[in-house]
Amino acid sequence: MPQGILAVTEQADSALKNISFEVISTGKKLAETTGGPLTAAILGAGVDAMASQAAEYGADRILLADHEGLKDGLADACIQAVAQLVASADPAVVLIGATSLGKDIAARLSARLNAPLAMDCVAVRADGDRIVATRPMYGGKVLADVSLNGSPAIVAIRPRAMEAVAAQGAAGEVETVAVSLDGSTLSLVEKHMETGKIELTEADVVVTGGRGMGGDDFAVVEALAKALGGAVGASRSAVDEGWRPVSDQVGQTGKVVAPNLYIACGVSGAIQHLAGMASSRVVVAINKDPEAPIFSKCDFGIVGDLFDLVPALTAEIEKLKG
Ligand SMILES: Cc1cc2nc3c(=O)[nH]c(=O)nc-3n(C[C@H](O)[C@H](O)[C@H](O)COP(=O)(O)OP(=O)(O)OC[C@H]3O[C@@H](n4cnc5c(N)ncnc54)[C@H](O)[C@@H]3O)c2cc1C
């Protein structure tokens, strides 16, 4: 009989990503009502050192899928490993981050196992023997509770929606599972990565530029993001104009972010944009149009030209930092 929770983690540069700790912590909390064990799955090549990181957040058991074929984190290979770990752990619930990779894996796992899936969830709980997940719908206008009937219940968790809480004195039992990967149809040819770039969905601060940037020179926004240790985002208009890569897009058809601080520069505040940033803790809007809809959705609004205001803000922040 399926039992316990499998938390599927994600890693980069030999460390688990923050979303992994959020997923494990959510599993830990859920296990208080569903019963354990809470198992963390770590996929990659040379992942032994990450087991202790998963244990710190309360995983009772850590399954390592250590395989050269998993080193690039391609969904084609990862789904095979995750399916084998699910078969080995036989969990009642699979938790995974609703990141680009996590969503890909979750959807394929659901199809493979004919198991229920709730995507992009902001809460999850047990109601009797059923798992109930809360997910935003209609661009975040509605929060719907959905019941997952079947096993395992797969829940993809929105990054930064749940708190990562370290567990005191935890030490999980580590086991390496031999996974076999059949010839994947995809292989990585080249990876385009900016070193030191903070991932949008994991960033504590996001500074977004919209059509008001007027071109592909995002230097003022980049400088503000850098001063605050944050990431740069873009509205769809800015992406459609070719000013920023699609990976920077925030919104309904882009990424969902929930930073502590979101600064929207030259963004009007269309509903599709709000859908991607409405869970931000503090929103600051800079727009030269006092009637811009974003001003009704922000905590602090500054009316004016972003090309005057953003550099002034950056200079003040640099001054405060000394
Ligand atoms: C199905 C669908 C999905 C979509 N998905 C997304 C999505 O994921 N993300 C997204 O962002 N949009 C999305 N959109 C598009 C969305 O509807 C808006 O068109 C878009 O968000 C507008 O982008 P913007 O605010 O940058 O541009 P605009 O609406 O053109 O606003 C530009 C703002 O900049 C201000 N401005 C101009 N110059 C300056 C200056 N110098 N200083 C200060 N302010 C200035 C203007 O006053 C204006 O308010 C989607 C639309 C559809 C139909």
Side-chain angles (χ1 to χ4, degrees), residues 6-247:
L6 182 72
V8 180
T9 65
E10 233 180 273
Q11 41 100 4
D13 303 328
S14 309
L16 292 183
K17 290 184 172 181
N18 287 342
I19 181 65
S20 303
F21 303 130
E22 293 162 16
V23 167
I24 296 170
S25 299
T26 305
K28 186 85 189 154
K29 205 159 165 224
L30 189 61
E32 287 168 12
T33 35
T34 60
L38 168 63
T39 305
I42 305 182
L43 328 171
V47 290
D48 302 25
M50 286 175 236
S52 59
Q53 298 169 15
E56 274 171 36
Y57 284 80
D60 305 311
R61 197 169 157 229
I62 295 127
L63 298 183
L64 302 179
D66 206 325
H67 194 293
E68 235 347 76
L70 296 168
K71 78 172 189 318
D72 294 323
L74 292 178
D76 253 24
C78 290
I79 179 59
Q80 295 183 49
V82 171
Q84 288 166 53
L85 294 178
V86 169
S88 155
D90 195 19
V93 182
V94 176
L95 298 178
I96 191 164
T99 59
S100 305
L101 177 63
K103 286 195 251 187
D104 205 342
I105 294 174
R108 292 186 192 200
L109 188 67
S110 166
R112 272 183 185 228
L113 304 179
N114 195 21
L117 161 67
M119 199 64 101
D120 200 25
C121 300
V122 294
V124 56
R125 64 187 159 86
D127 183 4
D129 55 3
R130 281 189 311 181
I131 296 298
V132 177
T134 305
R135 49 185 310 262
M137 291 180 173
Y138 303 111
K141 284 219 171 297
V142 171
L143 284 178
D145 281 352
V146 294
S147 168
L148 290 98
N149 305 319
S151 173
I154 306 169
V155 179
I157 291 168
R158 178 180 280 197
R160 297 181 66 92
M162 317 282 196
E163 210 184 341
V165 186
Q168 301 260 312
E173 175 194 319
V174 183
E175 194 184 318
T176 302
V177 178
V179 289
S180 62
L181 307 179
D182 60 25
S184 167
T185 47
L186 295 179
S187 59
L188 192 71
V189 179
E190 207 179 330
K191 205 170 184 170
H192 297 274
M193 260 182 79
E194 280 178 52
T195 48
K197 188 175 173 183
I198 300 168
E199 206 171 303
L200 204 51
T201 51
E202 300 235 319
D204 231 19
V205 177
V206 174
V207 186
T208 289
R211 200 197 297 276
M213 298 303 298
D216 62 2
D217 185 359
F218 267 50
V220 291
V221 159
E222 279 163 0
L224 180 56
K226 191 167 171 224
L228 292 166
V232 173
S235 71
R236 178 158 158 180
S237 301
V239 171
D240 286 350
E241 294 283 358
W243 301 340
R244 296 300 290 186
V246 73
S247 56

Side-chain angles (χ1 to χ4, degrees), residues 211 235-237 249-253 266 268 272-273 287 306:
R211 200 197 297 276
S235 71
R236 178 158 158 180
S237 301
Q249 186 182 318
V250 173
Q252 187 182 313
T253 43
S268 61
Q272 296 88 353
H273 186 81
N287 198 303
L306 74 90

Side-chain angles (χ1 to χ4, degrees), residues 208-214 234-240 243 249-255 262 264-276 286-295 302-310:
T208 289
R211 200 197 297 276
M213 298 303 298
S235 71
R236 178 158 158 180
S237 301
V239 171
D240 286 350
W243 301 340
Q249 186 182 318
V250 173
Q252 187 182 313
T253 43
K255 288 184 176 156
Y262 188 87
C265 310
V267 173
S268 61
I271 187 157
Q272 296 88 353
H273 186 81
L274 300 176
I286 299 175
N287 198 303
K288 67 180 184 185
D289 174 8
E291 303 298 324
I294 189 93
F295 284 129
I302 313 175
V303 179
D305 192 315
L306 74 90
F307 292 101
D308 298 330
L309 292 168
V310 176

